[in-house]
Structures are given as structure tokens and as C-alpha cells.
Amino acid sequence: MTRFRAEDLKDYAEALLHAAGYSPRHAERTADILVWANARGADSHGVLRIPRYGEMVEKGMIDPAAVPSVVSQEGAVAVVEAARAPGPSAMVTATDTAVEIASRLGIGWCSARNITHAGAVGYFALRAAERGYLGIVMTASGPLMAYHGARVAGLSTNPISIAVPGRGLPLLLDMSTSTVALGKIMHARDAGRSIPEGWAIDANGAPATDPAKVSTLTPLGGPKGSGLSLMIEILASVLVSNPAISGVLSGGKGAMNGAALAIRIEAFSDPEVFASQIAKLASSLKALPKAPGTEQILMPGERGFRLAEERNKTGIPIAEGTLNRLADMAAKFGIAAPTSMPPP
């Protein structure tokens, strides 16, 4: 692993994305969420994605200059047409729209049609929580994960994130509906490591431990993960008449969509009382007797916040395989790599 200052890594990511065709605004937003993920230890959703984003621009799968816009609004509900804009910009638009509606009506829901890969959805839910709102964000895409009982991909790894404001750090749940996100398979490949049995299956439906032999991912908790993924597909895609799954399974094209929900705390209770109760809930859980081998009971997102604080001081580590692929892309555009930091 080679370490980089967060600011240098972000500048590098932004330069690569801009060279690949992203507008300056989209490049900045996308670089920010990628490095945010790396800083929190979510390398599966970090800068390793950049070469693929460049390929998607070349193939017309991403419109690097499209501007997401609100196309309809009724009461507490709005719809954003992303027109294949970079996913981070599309979901920031959806989240900010949901928060604006909630500021007036207590609750706001904004669906985003035709987005592209949005990255770590916790970034958007946290954006709502940092403004004092409870945020729920989800995205849905084409088949990447087996439906429980099937040996081929039938659903996506549809992630969901819930962020809760409180005193100190927010609570931040950010999870995939698969056992692991596809990016973790990609990161294992870049790091030259095998993967644990149970993460994925090969073309014959047998467990795969070699990242190169992965055919599809497994659902988290079997029927629980595939059931949740199915419901996210309905909430994010079918609800706006833009299916991501059924078209592909019937031999046609799919789509990618997202949804953001914002809840204004004071529409339900006093924000100070709510914050106090969240703090009491967290402290009560953290005080429970610990299981053998457990040093400390952590709240959702706590590990990521701590790691980000540490890495902002000591640098963000990037796998050699990822660096090599970024370097190949950089050479194509004549972009210099950032200076690495010494080992901590």
C-alpha cells in the first residue's frame, strides 16, 4: 500500500475524471465522494472506480456533461431526471431536493431516474444528517447478485444508507444487500488477494475464492438480502416506471435509479430531546457486556469516522493494482501522479 494526502489524492482523481470528459463540477463532486470512501476504509467505492468511469464515458454509458434536473414535484414528492449524468452529482441533487422539501413539509422524497454509478450512498445520507435531518438513501441497478436459490445474477447489490443526526458523530448505516459489494472483489483483485468463501459464486454456482473466477455475488443473509434488494428495486426503479432489472432479464436494456428521503426531526419531536435519546441509546448499547475478542462495541459508522480522522493525518493507502491502473490512465492524458507520503 502507498499512502497519499487526501487533498493530493482528490486532486489526482479530479484531474483524471476531467481528462476523461467529466465537466469540472462533476469531476470535483465525484472525486470528493471517491476519496471520502477511501478515507473511511471503503476502498471498494474509492478511486479504483475511476478507470471504469472513463470506460463508461467512452461507451456512452455516462454523459459527463449532463445536468440533473427536477422534472416533477407533487407535495412531498419530487422526481429528478439525471439523463445518465455522473451518479454522485445526481444523488446530491436528489438528496438536496429531499431536504428542501422536508424543510417545508416535514418529510421529503426525491427519486432520481437514469443515474449512473453513485458511489458510497452513505455520503448522501450523511449530507442530510449534517444538516440536522434524518436521511435515507438507496440506489438500484442491473443484475449483479444471485436471487436466493438461483445460481446466476438476478438482482443488484442495491445499497441502502440511513444517517441519524445526534450529539457528536451521526449514526451512519451504509450497507449493500449482497454479502459484500462488487468493489470488494475488485479491490481483492487489485491487492492480489483471494476472497473468503461465501462472498461470491462461479459460473457453475460453486463458491468462488479467486476474484478472477467470480460470476456473481451472493445475497446478504440469503433470502433477507435478496428480498431487501428486490424491494429497493421497486422503491427506486419501478415506482418511477424505469425498471433496472426486468428489462435486462427479458433480454432488453436496464437502467439505474436512486431515491433519497429526508425527515425533519422537529416535525416529530424536539430535536434536543431526540439527540439526547440517541446519545442514551448509543451509550447503553456500548455499555453492554462484550463478546470474547471484542475490544469495544461500535455504533454504525463509528469505525469509518475514526479511520477517516486517522487517515487524514497519516495518509490514505491505495493498493498497488489500483495505482497501476490509475497510472495507465494518467499516462494516456499526461497527468502526473501525486507525491506519496512516507509510511506512518
Side-chain angles (χ1 to χ4, degrees), residues 145-178:
M145 177 184 83
Y147 190 81
H148 182 63
R151 65 177 177 86
V152 296
L155 289 170
S156 187
T157 58
N158 294 348
I160 182 169
S161 179
I162 303 174
V164 181
R167 292 176 179 167
L169 296 175
L171 302 183
L172 178 61
L173 173 70
D174 185 351
M175 57 169 279
S176 167
T177 49
S178 55

Side-chain angles (χ1 to χ4, degrees), residues 39-104:
R40 295 178 64 84
D43 298 307
S44 59
H45 288 70
V47 296
L48 67 76
R49 297 276 179 171
I50 294 175
R52 176 56 179 161
Y53 289 169
E55 293 173 1
M56 293 174 76
V57 170
E58 292 176 355
K59 295 178 179 179
M61 300 168 67
I62 292 177
D63 183 341
V67 178
S69 61
V70 177
V71 293
S72 68
Q73 185 170 333
E74 181 179 346
V77 175
V79 175
V80 165
E81 175 55 56
R84 292 180 292 106
S89 295
M91 290 311 297
V92 162
T93 299
T95 302
D96 289 354
T97 300
V99 167
E100 190 281 323
I101 294 172
S103 71
R104 296 182 284 106

Side-chain angles (χ1 to χ4, degrees), residues 112-115 233 236-245 254-257:
R113 295 190 311 233
N114 298 312
I115 69 172
E233 161 68 1
S237 301
V238 180
L239 190 60
V240 289
S241 300
N242 200 39
I245 294 295
M256 186 168 185
N257 309 287

Side-chain angles (χ1 to χ4, degrees), residues 177-200:
T177 49
S178 55
T179 304
V180 296
L182 177 61
K184 287 197 174 182
I185 309 294
M186 298 166 63
H187 184 255
R189 177 201 64 197
D190 282 355
R193 294 197 295 260
S194 61
I195 60 173
E197 186 171 310
W199 280 16

Side-chain angles (χ1 to χ4, degrees), residues 252-317:
K253 293 183 178 181
M256 186 168 185
N257 309 287
L261 172 67
I263 298 172
R264 182 161 53 90
I265 304 299
E266 62 186 0
F268 294 84
S269 64
D270 182 279
E272 285 301 316
V273 172
F274 178 82
S276 175
Q277 291 173 340
I278 292 297
K280 183 177 181 180
L281 174 60
S283 63
S284 297
L285 290 172
K286 292 173 75 68
L288 291 172
K290 294 183 283 292
T294 300
E295 293 184 3
Q296 185 177 4
I297 295 174
L298 300 176
M299 292 297 100
E302 186 175 354
R303 182 196 64 84
F305 286 119
R306 288 184 179 181
L307 190 58
E309 182 178 8
E310 175 190 333
R311 288 183 170 181
N312 282 329
K313 298 175 182 176
T314 63
I316 297 176

